[in-house]
């Protein structure tokens, strides 16, 4: 079981807004920043957000990241078929002295 | 362009040893930690450990401590992940990634393309 908890699946229709949650604890999300990764089918993960809400160049502003307490969220507005992928959150864990990932959320665009 | 290029897919038998590689280019290799991540078939990402190429200091996840060894040859900008005795349960895709940061623990970017390791008798 992953240290960070994500819903296994999410879905939406084109144009909709979808939110993916990532729940942790004081030793990880509560104390450190969060990063998000997008993994398209058959490819390596790609950085989507760093420092909780910073988008690397090339990531559309349809994507946004936030954090409150021990939980983080990834929001995708104006959903497109190309957004269909697995999404993972990650954070440093002070107790484990290492990084932890969420279990991943499979986003389906209906 | 910053990139990490990993070695090719491997098919091994249980009990065999293996070393896979991850070569960095386009940046100062010793300035960024390299981390290894496992993805078992149909499963999520698991952080295995990391190495600081400047001094070869390593830190492993408790789940992988003692099962794998992470090393580096900074003269050729290459990090390694190795097993001394593979098990069928080691069958997975393995990714290396560069750790970047702004002074805190950071994030992973870019990622290598992955190395598929299959262990079967």
């Amino acid at each position: 079981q992953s240290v960070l908890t994500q819903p296994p699946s999410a879905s939406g229709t084109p144009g909709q807004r979808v939110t993916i949650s990532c729940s942790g604890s004081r030793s990880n999300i509560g104390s450190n920043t969060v990063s998000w990764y997008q993994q398209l089918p058959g490819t390596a993960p790609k950085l989507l957000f760093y420092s909780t809400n910073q988008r690397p160049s090339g990531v559309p502003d349809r994507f946004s990241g936030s954090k409150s307490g021990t939980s983080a969220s990834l929001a995708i507005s104006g959903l497109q078929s190309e957004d269909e992928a697995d999404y993972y959150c990650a954070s440093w864990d002070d107790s484990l002295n290492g990084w932890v990932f969420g279990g991943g959320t499979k986003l389906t665009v209906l | 362009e910053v990139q990490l290029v990993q070695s090719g897919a491997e098919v091994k038998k249980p009990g065999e040893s293996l070393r896979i590689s991850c070569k960095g280019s386009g940046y100062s290799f010793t300035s960024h930690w390299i981390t290894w991540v496992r993805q078992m078939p149909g499963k999520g990402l698991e952080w295995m450990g990391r190495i600081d190429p400047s001094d070869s200091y390593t830190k492993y996840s408790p789940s992988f401590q003692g099962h794998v060894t992470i090393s580096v040859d900074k003269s050729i900008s290459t990090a390694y992940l190795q097993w001394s005795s593979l098990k069928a349960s080691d069958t997975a895709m393995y990714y290396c990634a560069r750790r970047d940061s702004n002074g805190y623990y950071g994030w992973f970017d870019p990622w290598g393309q992955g190395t598929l390791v299959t262990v079967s008798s």
Side-chain angles (χ1 to χ4, degrees), chain A residues 45 101, chain B residues 35-39 44-49 81 93-97 108 111:
Chain A
F101 283 98
Chain B
T35 196
W36 286 93
V37 175
R38 182 176 78 175
Q39 187 168 38
L45 306 175
E46 301 173 86
W47 180 73
M48 300 177 71
L81 178 66
M93 182 73 82
Y94 293 88
Y95 294 102
C96 65
F108 306 131
W111 294 61

Side-chain angles (χ1 to χ4, degrees), chain B residues 98-109:
Chain B
R98 187 188 77 159
R99 177 260 200 173
D100 205 349
S101 80
N102 53 6
Y104 296 96
Y105 295 105
W107 55 91
F108 306 131
D109 181 53

Side-chain angles (χ1 to χ4, degrees), chain B residues 15-29:
Chain B
E16 292 186 330
S17 62
L18 174 65
R19 188 177 77 167
I20 62 176
S21 66
C22 168
K23 182 174 177 59
S25 63
Y27 72 100
S28 173
F29 186 71

Side-chain angles (χ1 to χ4, degrees), chain A residues 2 32-33 35 37 39 42-47 49-51 56 86 88 90 92 94 96-104, chain B residues 33 35 37 39 43-47 50 57 59-62 95 99-100 102 104-114:
Chain A
S2 302
N32 300 291
T33 60
S35 54
Y37 303 89
Q39 187 175 32
T43 69
K46 169 193 151 187
L47 179 68
F49 276 95
Y50 64 97
S51 297
D86 293 326
Y88 295 91
W92 177 268
D94 294 332
L96 296 175
N97 201 17
W99 278 277
V100 290
F101 283 98
Chain B
W33 300 350
T35 196
V37 175
Q39 187 168 38
K43 301 298 184 182
L45 306 175
E46 301 173 86
W47 180 73
R50 63 90 172 170
Y57 177 83
K59 173 66 179 174
Y60 297 93
S61 162
Y95 294 102
R99 177 260 200 173
D100 205 349
N102 53 6
Y104 296 96
Y105 295 105
W107 55 91
F108 306 131
D109 181 53
W111 294 61
Q113 83 277 20

Side-chain angles (χ1 to χ4, degrees), chain B:
Chain B
E1 178 196 5
V2 176
Q3 62 176 359
L4 299 174
V5 177
Q6 298 184 228
S7 50
E10 301 275 0
V11 179
K12 291 289 188 178
K13 290 181 167 48
E16 292 186 330
S17 62
L18 174 65
R19 188 177 77 167
I20 62 176
S21 66
C22 168
K23 182 174 177 59
S25 63
Y27 72 100
S28 173
F29 186 71
T30 54
S31 297
H32 296 265
W33 300 350
I34 293 290
T35 196
W36 286 93
V37 175
R38 182 176 78 175
Q39 187 168 38
M40 299 180 76
K43 301 298 184 182
L45 306 175
E46 301 173 86
W47 180 73
M48 300 177 71
R50 63 90 172 170
I51 189 164
D52 183 339
S54 67
D55 61 8
S56 296
Y57 177 83
T58 54
K59 173 66 179 174
Y60 297 93
S61 162
S63 299
F64 294 92
Q65 178 85 48
H67 297 290
V68 297
T69 301
I70 297 172
S71 60
V72 69
D73 185 341
K74 60 185 179 183
S75 69
I76 54 172
S77 301
T78 300
Y80 301 97
L81 178 66
Q82 67 182 68
W83 296 259
S84 59
S85 181
L86 286 160
K87 305 174 185 177
S89 57
D90 293 318
T91 294
M93 182 73 82
Y94 293 88
Y95 294 102
C96 65
R98 187 188 77 159
R99 177 260 200 173
D100 205 349
S101 80
N102 53 6
Y104 296 96
Y105 295 105
W107 55 91
F108 306 131
D109 181 53
W111 294 61
Q113 83 277 20
T115 296
L116 180 62
V117 174
T118 303
V119 184
S120 174
S121 55

